[in-house]
Amino acid sequence: MAVMLPEGEDLNEWVAVNTVDFFNQINMLYGTITDFCTEESCPVIYEYHWADGTNIKKPIKCSAPKYIDYLMTWVQDQLDDETLFPSKIGITVLYNWDPS
């Protein structure tokens, strides 16, 4: 019931709002551990590579904290993109959400 579209709500708007809320929760959670896991203090357990296809086209090796920083910045950029997540009511996005 917690994830069902409320009656009378626009599906795309509901998905967008919940996506932004989920990102904000993850961002706050990550913010609480950044002091404990820095590039200097966290040993390399896995090898991380980042590429966003726009600014960094060829994957680059990076630490776990740097990878998370790249990821969170990339997600924030997606959320700020008005063509993906319009901030004004009544604007239709360029994609159609198909929950099936």
Side-chain angles (χ1 to χ4, degrees), residues 43-62:
V44 176
I45 298 172
Y46 298 103
E47 188 171 296
Y48 294 91
H49 291 84
W50 176 260
D52 61 16
T54 304
N55 297 318
I56 302 173
K57 295 183 191 250
K58 182 179 178 187
I60 59 171
K61 186 176 179 180
C62 53

Side-chain angles (χ1 to χ4, degrees), residues 22-69:
F22 180 72
F23 172 76
N24 289 335
Q25 294 292 326
I26 295 293
N27 204 18
M28 285 192 316
L29 176 63
Y30 179 65
T32 64
I33 63 169
T34 56
D35 291 338
F36 303 104
C37 184
T38 64
E39 292 192 40
E40 294 80 27
S41 67
C42 285
V44 176
I45 298 172
Y46 298 103
E47 188 171 296
Y48 294 91
H49 291 84
W50 176 260
D52 61 16
T54 304
N55 297 318
I56 302 173
K57 295 183 191 250
K58 182 179 178 187
I60 59 171
K61 186 176 179 180
C62 53
S63 66
K66 190 65 179 170
Y67 181 88
I68 296 295
D69 183 51

Side-chain angles (χ1 to χ4, degrees), residues 74-85:
W74 181 84
V75 171
Q76 185 66 60
D77 289 345
Q78 304 309 300
L79 296 175
D80 291 342
D81 184 343
E82 289 286 325
T83 63
L84 297 175
F85 292 93

